[in-house]
Amino acid sequence: MSSLSDQGYLALATELQAKAGRNAMSLELADSLESAELRRGEAKSYRRVWLLFFSLFLVVGLLARLLPRGWRPAGFGDRAERSVFEDARCVADQTAPFIFMT
């Protein structure tokens, strides 16, 4: 009878370990889904900030193009080969990452 109860305990322990393994895997999956959701949220925030900066620098670039060359802000319209959109994109690309450096 004691060997039967030992086998029962062994089966119960094996079943509990299997459940614990599934729970650990589900917790790891939940953590990875949560971190993926967090990354997705950060990506959305970055795109919003970048779009805000792009819009702002596009307006600044358009206004800078109306000024004489000597009065233009640094980085806007310095090169004749770049369009105002390229200027705004370059400055937004350089500025937006600094928001997320904390």
Side-chain angles (χ1 to χ4, degrees):
M1 180 110 178
S2 67
S3 66
L4 181 62
S5 63
D6 288 342
Q7 289 176 354
Y9 286 125
L10 183 61
L12 181 62
T14 305
E15 184 180 329
L16 287 175
Q17 284 177 345
K19 284 183 180 179
R22 283 193 302 266
N23 286 340
M25 285 183 2
S26 65
L27 287 175
E28 288 174 12
L29 179 62
D31 287 344
S32 68
L33 289 176
E34 184 178 312
S35 66
E37 186 65 32
L38 181 63
R39 284 191 303 265
R40 219 173 289 131
E42 288 175 349
K44 285 180 183 179
S45 296
Y46 181 82
R47 284 191 296 267
R48 287 183 191 132
V49 167
W50 188 90
L51 187 60
L52 175 72
F53 282 152
F54 177 78
S55 302
L56 175 73
F57 293 130
L58 182 62
V59 170
V60 170
L62 287 170
L63 293 175
R65 297 282 170 128
L66 297 175
L67 294 173
R69 282 203 188 271
W71 293 5
R72 290 183 185 173
F76 288 100
D78 292 340
R79 297 186 206 156
E81 68 269 3
R82 284 200 328 200
S83 72
V84 67
F85 296 104
E86 288 178 283
D87 281 341
R89 184 189 54 79
C90 286
V91 177
D93 285 343
Q94 293 170 359
T95 308
F98 288 105
I99 298 295
F100 296 93
M101 291 186 82
T102 58

